[in-house]
Amino acid sequence: MSARTRIGIGVIGFGWMGQAHSRGCRRAPSYFPDRTYDPDLVLVADTLADRRRDAVESFGFRGATADWHELVADPAVDVVFVTSPNMLHVEMVEAAAANGKHVFCEKPVGGTPAQTVAAEQAARLAGVISGVGYNYRWAPLVQHAKQMIDDGAIGTITNYYGRFFSMYGSDPLGLLSWRFLVDGAGHGVSTDILSHSVDLAHYLVGDAAGAITRVVGTGETFIKQRPLPSGSGTHYDRGRPDDPTGEVTNEDYIGMMCTFAGGARGTFEACRSMVGPESQNSFEVYGTKGSISWNFERMNELQVYVAGEHKHTGFTTVFGGDRFPHHGSFVPGSANGIGFEDLVCIEDHEYLESVAARRQHVPGFAEALRYVSVQAAVLESWASGRWEDVVTLGEASVAPTSTLTQTSMTTTGTTTASTRGTA
Ligand SMILES: NC(=O)c1ccc[n+]([C@@H]2O[C@H](COP(=O)([O-])OP(=O)(O)OC[C@H]3O[C@@H](n4cnc5c(N)ncnc54)[C@H](O)[C@@H]3O)[C@@H](O)[C@H]2O)c1
């Protein structure tokens, strides 16, 4: 067995994604025996006492605190996962980076483009390794689609359709959680789920078709009032018809058309209040020789058509299986499916590999900046009613390995005992 780097994990915000990443880090060793790191679950920060208790009793963290400032200062923590509501991201990222911690932040890093710019700058200037939760990139069949596009299998890209239609806001009785409020989430679906669609486009066709250069778009809030939560309700929880309501202050819908630098055209839509689609994060890529489409609702299937292949016409369904990247780490054979949290586990594994190797990770905050540059342009277009150029925000650059901060990480499992309480 080769020496592995111990990486102390701290998680701020122990809700859906904080727990998903904690399971991802905890599970990764059993799926990836050739890894170069050993995760050490050190500390969770959450304002809710029952989540702190769960972090220790059910997930195996050594401690939990109500004050995230303690977590970013803890010498046993090497990597901070920021999985809190969006508008809290930046101060947490900045404090973690200032303490020399590597930072994985959930997408799209902050609630507004300006906040993403600030977070990227903080991480870059501190020389820490950033990562972003664009987990759908890691789907084995998405990786296969990228490989096909790069290999020229579908020819020159002519047009791209990306959409994320989620059910989470489709019920008007869905609680007015932080996601529906500018103060908690920043913008609505343009910050939340359009970010996944545009990131997938950058990943899949960015090399073949270039960056998104111009956009025209519009948005809307279809459900303007929602029941107020009485406790810590999430966007999946429901109120009652006679509950007091409050105003939704960010958008339910964003649609945009765009041009890519290489001449391809794109269409994107994101919506959280449609009735019918449930988690339709999908793309269709069209080229001069064929097309590929994928939909997360059927994440273990890829639709492929390559003109002239065996004289067939129409799409072929390609089932996921162990011949595609990472799939075989979870389950052998073909058409034995994997799921959402497996993508998170792959993403955590890849990020921890980057940290152990002290190399900047992709996707990192530079990729988040590429997304918010598009987001800023579509928000501007929504206001102006005109086509707008995409202006590159911030000064994204990949830090050379030599400038990356050396943290207290050690090899082969030496750990620092935590004295922190559990809740
Ligand atoms: N990549 C994905 O597929 C995906 C999916 C869902 C959410 N997300 C992102 O993950 C992040 C979290 O979303 P979620 O759905 O897990 O939210 P959530 O509401 O389930 O969890 C948020 C947690 O943060 C805690 N919190 C709030 N204020 C805090 C503070 N000051 N200090 C410490 N903890 C605090 C809350 O108590 C809660 O436990 C968001 O940025 C969201 O955009 C990404």
Side-chain angles (χ1 to χ4, degrees):
M1 188 189 80
S2 57
R4 298 194 183 108
T5 304
R6 170 210 169 267
I7 300 181
I9 309 287
V11 176
I12 305 179
F14 205 59
W16 176 12
M17 291 311 290
Q19 294 181 27
H21 284 293
S22 301
R23 278 190 289 266
C25 291
R26 197 187 154 106
R27 288 196 297 146
S30 65
Y31 294 121
F32 302 104
D34 296 335
R35 69 194 179 282
T36 60
Y37 61 87
D38 273 327
D40 179 14
L41 302 188
V42 177
L43 194 59
V44 158
D46 200 292
T47 44
L48 298 175
D50 56 342
R51 294 200 173 163
R52 296 198 297 276
R53 198 172 308 115
D54 217 23
V56 174
E57 292 179 3
S58 305
F59 285 70
F61 278 89
R62 278 188 269 146
T65 172
D67 182 1
W68 61 265
H69 296 90
E70 281 184 34
L71 186 149
V72 298
D74 191 316
V77 169
D78 301 301
V79 162
V80 177
F81 282 81
V82 176
T83 48
S84 53
N86 302 336
M87 291 298 269
L88 298 176
H89 287 176
V90 175
E91 58 175 333
M92 294 168 174
V93 168
E94 287 177 340
N99 279 293
K101 311 296 186 192
H102 305 298
V103 191
F104 184 100
C105 185
E106 261 306 334
K107 45 44 69 170
V109 189
T112 64
Q115 291 187 355
T116 311
V117 169
E120 189 275 338
Q121 176 167 305
R124 177 165 41 81
L125 295 183
V128 298
I129 299 166
S130 63
V132 182
Y134 289 130
N135 41 311
Y136 299 99
R137 282 179 175 229
W138 296 108
L141 287 173
V142 171
Q143 300 217 342
H144 178 58
K146 160 81 171 155
Q147 190 63 55
M148 287 186 70
I149 293 164
D150 287 351
D151 290 346
I154 61 167
T156 303
I157 305 304
T158 55
N159 52 310
Y160 185 101
Y161 182 38
R163 69 172 173 272
F164 203 145
F165 292 159
S166 173
M167 50 62 71
Y168 78 73
S170 59
D171 184 346
L173 291 180
L175 293 182
L176 187 68
S177 71
W178 61 264
R179 265 189 176 72
F180 299 98
L181 300 169
V182 161
D183 289 347
H187 298 287
V189 289
S190 69
T191 283
D192 191 7
I193 49 181
L194 182 71
S195 64
H196 280 301
S197 294
V198 172
D199 179 69
L200 273 184
H202 283 154
Y203 172 65
L204 286 164
V205 303
D207 293 329
I212 295 174
T213 49
R214 301 192 75 213
V215 304
V216 62
T218 186
E220 182 55 292
T221 304
F222 296 117
I223 298 176
K224 297 186 185 337
Q225 295 276 326
R226 291 182 177 276
L228 294 170
S230 51
S232 58
T234 81
H235 55 311
Y236 289 119
D237 294 323
R238 299 286 173 265
R240 287 187 302 268
D242 52 353
D243 281 349
T245 62
E247 189 188 350
V248 174
T249 53
N250 57 25
E251 78 281 356
D252 288 333
Y253 172 88
I254 281 281
M256 88 177 183
M257 291 197 299
C258 69
T259 60
F260 289 85
R265 300 300 194 251
T267 320
F268 290 82
E269 281 189 295
C271 189
R272 65 189 179 192
S273 60
M274 298 171 89
V275 177
E278 306 223 312
S279 194
Q280 229 177 74
N281 175 13
S282 64
F283 61 78
E284 296 165 14
V285 195
Y286 297 97
T288 51
K289 293 186 194 164
S291 347
I292 303 176
S293 73
W294 180 81
N295 173 3
F296 178 70
E297 287 175 348
R298 293 176 173 275
M299 71 166 275
N300 291 287
E301 296 177 17
L302 189 71
Q303 303 297 319
V304 177
Y305 174 59
V306 177
E309 222 179 36
H310 310 303
K311 300 182 183 172
H312 296 167
T313 58
F315 282 85
T316 299
T317 300
V318 177
F319 290 119
D322 59 10
R323 61 203 184 282
F324 300 116
H326 294 307
H327 195 119
S329 296
F330 293 85
V331 64
S334 191
N336 295 321
I338 63 170
F340 176 88
E341 284 217 9
D342 296 327
L343 302 190
V344 176
C345 186
I346 295 169
E347 137 175 296
D348 293 336
H349 164 69
E350 290 288 348
Y351 177 66
L352 296 177
E353 282 290 333
S354 295
V355 170
R358 300 188 187 281
R359 62 169 181 259
Q360 178 47 45
H361 182 68
V362 177
F365 291 179
E367 284 66 39
L369 266 189
R370 287 185 78 191
Y371 167 63
V372 296
S373 300
V374 174
Q375 181 193 15
V378 75
L379 292 172
E380 203 179 332
S381 169
W382 180 10
S384 72
R386 290 191 297 268
W387 280 87
E388 300 289 350
D389 291 335
V390 175
V391 177
T392 303
L393 301 178
E395 298 170 53
S397 65
V398 176
T401 309
S402 58
T403 69
L404 294 174
T405 299
Q406 303 293 302
T407 69
S408 59
M409 295 186 299
T410 52
T411 50
T412 54
T414 48
T415 56
T416 312
S418 172
T419 53
R420 200 148 334 261
T422 59

